Coordinates of all heavy atoms in Angstrom, one line a residue:
S12 N 8.7 58.8 3.3 CA 8.7 57.4 2.7 C 8.3 57.5 1.2 O 7.4 58.3 0.9 CB 7.7 56.6 3.5 OG 7.6 55.3 2.9
E13 N 8.9 56.7 0.4 CA 8.5 56.7 -1.0 C 8.6 55.3 -1.4 O 9.7 54.7 -1.4 CB 9.5 57.6 -1.7 CG 9.2 57.7 -3.2 CD 10.2 58.6 -3.9 OE1 10.6 59.7 -3.3 OE2 10.6 58.3 -5.0
A14 N 7.5 54.7 -1.7 CA 7.5 53.2 -2.0 C 6.4 52.9 -2.9 O 5.4 53.6 -3.0 CB 7.4 52.4 -0.7
D15 N 6.5 51.7 -3.5 CA 5.4 51.2 -4.3 C 4.4 50.7 -3.3 O 4.6 50.6 -2.1 CB 5.9 50.1 -5.2 CG 6.8 50.6 -6.3 OD1 6.7 51.8 -6.7 OD2 7.6 49.8 -6.8
F16 N 3.2 50.4 -3.8 CA 2.1 50.0 -3.0 C 2.5 48.9 -2.0 O 3.0 47.9 -2.4 CB 0.9 49.6 -3.8 CG -0.2 49.0 -3.0 CD1 -1.0 49.9 -2.3 CD2 -0.4 47.7 -2.9 CE1 -2.1 49.4 -1.6 CE2 -1.4 47.1 -2.1 CZ -2.2 48.0 -1.5
A17 N 2.2 49.1 -0.8 CA 2.3 48.1 0.3 C 1.2 48.4 1.3 O 1.1 49.5 1.8 CB 3.7 48.1 0.9
P18 N 0.3 47.4 1.6 CA -0.8 47.7 2.5 C -0.3 48.3 3.9 O -1.0 49.1 4.4 CB -1.4 46.3 2.7 CG -1.1 45.6 1.5 CD 0.3 46.1 1.1
T19 N 0.9 48.0 4.3 CA 1.3 48.5 5.6 C 1.6 50.0 5.6 O 1.7 50.6 6.6 CB 2.6 47.7 6.1 OG1 3.6 47.8 5.1 CG2 2.3 46.2 6.3
L20 N 1.8 50.5 4.4 CA 2.1 52.0 4.3 C 0.9 52.8 4.2 O 1.0 54.0 4.2 CB 3.0 52.2 3.0 CG 4.3 51.6 3.1 CD1 5.0 51.8 1.7 CD2 5.2 52.2 4.2
M21 N -0.3 52.2 4.0 CA -1.5 53.0 3.8 C -2.0 53.6 5.2 O -1.9 53.0 6.2 CB -2.6 52.2 3.2 CG -2.2 51.7 1.8 SD -1.8 53.1 0.8 CE -1.2 52.3 -0.6
S22 N -2.6 54.8 5.1 CA -3.0 55.4 6.3 C -4.5 55.5 6.4 O -5.0 56.1 7.3 CB -2.5 56.8 6.3 OG -3.0 57.6 5.3
W23 N -5.2 54.8 5.6 CA -6.7 54.7 5.8 C -7.2 53.3 5.5 O -6.4 52.5 4.8 CB -7.4 55.7 4.9 CG -7.2 55.5 3.4 CD1 -7.9 54.6 2.6 CD2 -6.4 56.2 2.6 NE1 -7.4 54.7 1.3 CE2 -6.5 55.7 1.3 CE3 -5.5 57.3 2.8 CZ2 -5.8 56.2 0.2 CZ3 -4.7 57.7 1.7 CH2 -4.9 57.2 0.4
P24 N -8.3 52.9 5.9 CA -8.8 51.5 5.7 C -9.0 51.2 4.3 O -9.6 52.0 3.5 CB -10.1 51.5 6.5 CG -10.1 52.7 7.4 CD -9.2 53.7 6.7
N25 N -8.6 50.0 3.9 CA -8.9 49.4 2.6 C -8.7 50.3 1.4 O -9.6 50.4 0.6 CB -10.3 48.8 2.6 CG -10.5 47.8 1.5 OD1 -9.6 47.3 1.0 ND2 -11.8 47.6 1.2
P26 N -7.5 50.9 1.2 CA -7.3 51.8 0.0 C -7.4 51.0 -1.3 O -7.7 51.5 -2.3 CB -6.0 52.4 0.2 CG -5.3 51.4 1.1 CD -6.3 50.8 2.0
I27 N -7.0 49.7 -1.2 CA -7.1 48.9 -2.4 C -8.5 48.7 -2.9 O -8.8 48.4 -4.0 CB -6.4 47.5 -2.1 CG1 -6.0 46.8 -3.4 CG2 -7.2 46.6 -1.3 CD1 -4.9 47.5 -4.2
G28 N -9.5 48.9 -2.0 CA -10.9 48.8 -2.3 C -11.5 50.0 -3.0 O -12.6 50.0 -3.4
T29 N -10.7 51.1 -3.2 CA -11.3 52.2 -3.9 C -11.4 51.9 -5.4 O -10.7 51.2 -6.0 CB -10.4 53.5 -3.7 OG1 -9.2 53.3 -4.4 CG2 -10.1 53.8 -2.2
A30 N -12.3 52.6 -6.0 CA -12.6 52.4 -7.4 C -11.3 52.8 -8.2 O -11.0 52.1 -9.2 CB -13.8 53.2 -7.9
Y31 N -10.7 53.9 -7.8 CA -9.5 54.4 -8.5 C -8.3 53.3 -8.4 O -7.7 53.1 -9.4 CB -9.0 55.7 -8.0 CG -10.0 56.8 -8.4 CD1 -10.7 57.5 -7.5 CD2 -10.1 57.2 -9.8 CE1 -11.6 58.5 -7.8 CE2 -10.9 58.3 -10.1 CZ -11.7 58.9 -9.2 OH -12.5 59.9 -9.5
A32 N -8.1 52.8 -7.3 CA -7.1 51.8 -7.1 C -7.4 50.6 -7.9 O -6.5 50.0 -8.6 CB -6.9 51.5 -5.6
K33 N -8.6 50.1 -7.8 CA -8.9 48.9 -8.6 C -8.7 49.1 -10.1 O -8.2 48.3 -10.8 CB -10.4 48.5 -8.3 CG -10.6 47.9 -7.0 CD -12.1 47.5 -6.8 CE -12.3 47.0 -5.4 NZ -13.7 46.7 -5.1
K34 N -9.2 50.3 -10.6 CA -9.0 50.6 -12.0 C -7.6 50.6 -12.4 O -7.2 50.0 -13.4 CB -9.7 51.9 -12.3 CG -9.7 52.4 -13.7 CD -10.4 53.7 -13.8 CE -10.4 54.2 -15.3 NZ -11.1 55.5 -15.4
G35 N -6.7 51.2 -11.6 CA -5.3 51.3 -11.9 C -4.6 49.9 -11.9 O -3.8 49.5 -12.8
I36 N -4.9 49.1 -10.9 CA -4.4 47.8 -10.8 C -4.8 46.9 -11.9 O -4.0 46.2 -12.5 CB -4.7 47.2 -9.4 CG1 -4.0 47.9 -8.3 CG2 -4.4 45.7 -9.3 CD1 -4.4 47.6 -6.9
N37 N -6.1 47.0 -12.3 CA -6.6 46.2 -13.4 C -5.9 46.6 -14.7 O -5.8 45.8 -15.6 CB -8.1 46.4 -13.6 CG -8.9 45.7 -12.5 OD1 -8.4 44.8 -11.8 ND2 -10.1 46.2 -12.3
K38 N -5.4 47.8 -14.8 CA -4.7 48.3 -16.0 C -3.2 47.9 -15.9 O -2.4 48.2 -16.8 CB -4.8 49.8 -16.2 CG -6.2 50.2 -16.6 CD -6.2 51.7 -16.8 CE -7.6 52.2 -17.3 NZ -7.6 53.7 -17.5
G39 N -2.8 47.3 -14.8 CA -1.4 46.9 -14.6 C -0.5 48.0 -14.2 O 0.7 47.9 -14.2
H40 N -1.1 49.1 -13.6 CA -0.3 50.3 -13.2 C 0.3 50.0 -11.8 O -0.3 49.3 -11.0 CB -1.2 51.5 -13.1 CG -1.7 52.0 -14.4 ND1 -2.5 53.1 -14.5 CD2 -1.5 51.5 -15.6 CE1 -2.8 53.3 -15.8 NE2 -2.2 52.3 -16.5
T41 N 1.4 50.6 -11.6 CA 2.1 50.5 -10.2 C 1.4 51.6 -9.4 O 1.2 52.7 -9.8 CB 3.6 50.8 -10.4 OG1 4.2 49.8 -11.2 CG2 4.3 50.8 -9.0
I42 N 1.1 51.2 -8.1 CA 0.6 52.2 -7.2 C 1.8 52.8 -6.4 O 2.6 52.1 -5.8 CB -0.4 51.5 -6.2 CG1 -1.5 50.8 -6.9 CG2 -0.9 52.6 -5.2 CD1 -2.4 51.6 -7.8
S43 N 2.0 54.1 -6.6 CA 3.0 54.8 -5.9 C 2.5 55.5 -4.7 O 1.5 56.3 -4.8 CB 3.7 55.9 -6.8 OG 4.3 55.2 -7.9
N44 N 3.1 55.3 -3.5 CA 2.7 55.9 -2.3 C 3.8 56.9 -1.9 O 4.9 56.5 -1.5 CB 2.5 54.9 -1.2 CG 2.0 55.4 0.1 OD1 1.4 56.4 0.2 ND2 2.4 54.7 1.2

């Protein structure tokens, strides 16, 4: 699978809650999974 960020694709609880994810999202970066 190769997709932009989608919560259903994540394999661990609350990845959006990580400091790295928040930092990237705040910068307007796309999250690639």
